[in-house]
Amino acid sequence: MQGDLEQSLLDGLGGWDDEGCEAVLNSNETGTVTCDCNHLTSFSILMSPNSEKELYLDIITYIGVGISMGSLVICLIIEGLIWRKIRKNETSYLRHVSIVNIAVSLLIADIWFIIGAVISDAKDKKTPACTAATFFIHFFYLSLFFWMLASALLLLYRTTNVFGEGLSKASMLAIGFFLGYGAPLIIATVTIAATAPDNEYIRDNAVCWLNWDESKALLAFVIPALSIVLINLFILVVVLCKIIRKRVGTTAAQAGERHVIKVIAKSLAVLTPFFGITWGLGAGILANPTDKGILIAFAFFNSLQV
């Protein structure tokens, strides 16, 4: 599409597309022209090796992000109001801990995504600021996925060990926070440490996100995210099969515990396919970065995560 536009300029002689760009220096002595280009940033960059600059993707992204952030704030307010009422059993408590941290991680990730987009669009783009934004976007989006993994593992553990002795609440909380924040921190830190010294951490095309062309740093986000989606889908299938097959009598307390597990299963049944479809489209973007249908679908679903 870009090539067709260039060929159509100047009566077929070719030229540069000036959409979103302005000339800041025109040197007749050297025959060079320096341009400053400002583009918004859509969610398609999260999985794409290229940085598509399309206005409709930007509109979808920013409207969706606004709705998502508002919904996440409402979710956190509701969780705060009911927090004292969720301690009836460990499973319910740990489930809500996961929900709160998923919402917090996604909310902060969205905020940093907007900050990164502002830095990318600034005329005086500062690399340290762009590097910092990229690090925090990477870290908090990974935290979202690892907290989903922690929630899925809790569901699997409680389903297979509802009545027996096992890990304490403190131990499960420790495991959850290590998975939710420790693992993403390790991945994000190793990524920046391995690529930043060679200036291969962020992209060179004025977009604050992980590099692809030189270092393939983007894989430090893509591989963990898609792996967790697949693991969660597998856990969901296993848990649902166990719940359906279980036909044993229980006490009232055990029935309450089983009810909470079923609620978690229903939640994951909604959340996991939703995230799986979204990031599965991201895998499609990796395979075909120029497919506008996949780009639109990815930007739409991903920006409306709540």
Side-chain angles (χ1 to χ4, degrees), residues 13 19 26 34 64 71 108 111 136 147 153 173 187 218 270:
L13 296 178
E19 181 181 356
N26 191 343
T34 301
S71 300
I108 298 177
I111 292 172
F136 286 112
W147 272 109
L153 291 175
L173 278 175
I187 295 173
L218 180 61
V270 174

Side-chain angles (χ1 to χ4, degrees), residues 157-168:
Y157 173 76
R158 280 306 197 185
T159 304
T160 57
N161 191 28
V162 175
F163 309 120
E165 296 294 329
L167 295 172
S168 65

Side-chain angles (χ1 to χ4, degrees), residues 60-278:
I60 292 172
T61 295
Y62 286 94
I63 291 177
V65 166
I67 296 173
S68 176
M69 291 176 65
S71 300
L72 289 168
V73 170
I74 294 173
C75 172
L76 291 172
I77 291 174
I78 293 174
E79 287 290 333
L81 294 175
I82 67 171
W83 193 255
R84 292 184 179 180
K85 301 179 181 180
I86 64 174
R87 297 176 178 267
K88 34 188 171 176
N89 56 58
E90 290 184 359
T91 305
S92 177
Y93 174 75
L94 293 169
R95 167 179 172 256
H96 282 273
V97 168
S98 297
I99 290 174
V100 168
N101 281 281
I102 287 172
V104 168
S105 296
L106 181 54
L107 179 60
I108 298 177
D110 285 346
I111 292 172
W112 274 107
F113 181 86
I114 294 175
I115 293 173
V118 171
I119 295 172
S120 298
D121 298 335
K123 291 185 177 180
D124 182 21
K125 183 181 129 179
K126 300 184 182 299
T127 300
C130 190
T131 298
T134 299
F135 176 85
F136 286 112
I137 294 170
H138 187 200
F139 170 70
F140 283 107
Y141 274 120
L142 281 181
S143 293
L144 162 69
F145 281 98
F146 276 96
W147 272 109
M148 286 186 64
L149 176 61
S151 180
L153 291 175
L154 168 65
L155 174 62
L156 179 64
Y157 173 76
R158 280 306 197 185
T159 304
T160 57
N161 191 28
V162 175
F163 309 120
E165 296 294 329
L167 295 172
S168 65
K169 181 170 73 174
S171 297
M172 286 187 282
L173 278 175
I175 293 172
F177 276 92
F178 174 77
L179 278 176
Y181 295 116
L185 181 61
I186 293 172
I187 295 173
T189 302
V190 170
T191 303
I192 191 172
T195 58
D198 296 326
N199 295 320
E200 295 178 347
Y201 181 59
I202 59 176
R203 304 187 182 192
D204 296 328
N205 55 0
V207 175
C208 294
W209 187 228
L210 297 172
N211 183 285
W212 174 261
D213 293 329
E214 291 82 18
S215 65
K216 300 294 188 291
L218 180 61
L219 293 177
F221 174 72
V222 171
I223 292 175
L226 294 182
S227 297
I228 289 173
V229 168
L230 291 175
I231 292 171
N232 282 3
L233 286 170
F234 174 76
I235 291 176
L236 181 63
V237 172
V238 172
V239 169
L240 290 179
C241 288
K242 286 185 174 294
I243 290 178
I244 291 173
R245 292 177 182 177
K246 207 157 192 176
R247 296 288 187 271
V248 295
T250 63
T251 65
Q254 291 168 337
E257 186 77 7
R258 261 215 333 241
H259 172 71
V260 173
I261 292 173
K262 290 181 180 180
V263 170
I264 299 175
K266 291 177 182 178
S267 299
L268 279 180
V270 174
L271 287 175
T272 305
F274 183 81
F275 281 105
I277 292 172
T278 300

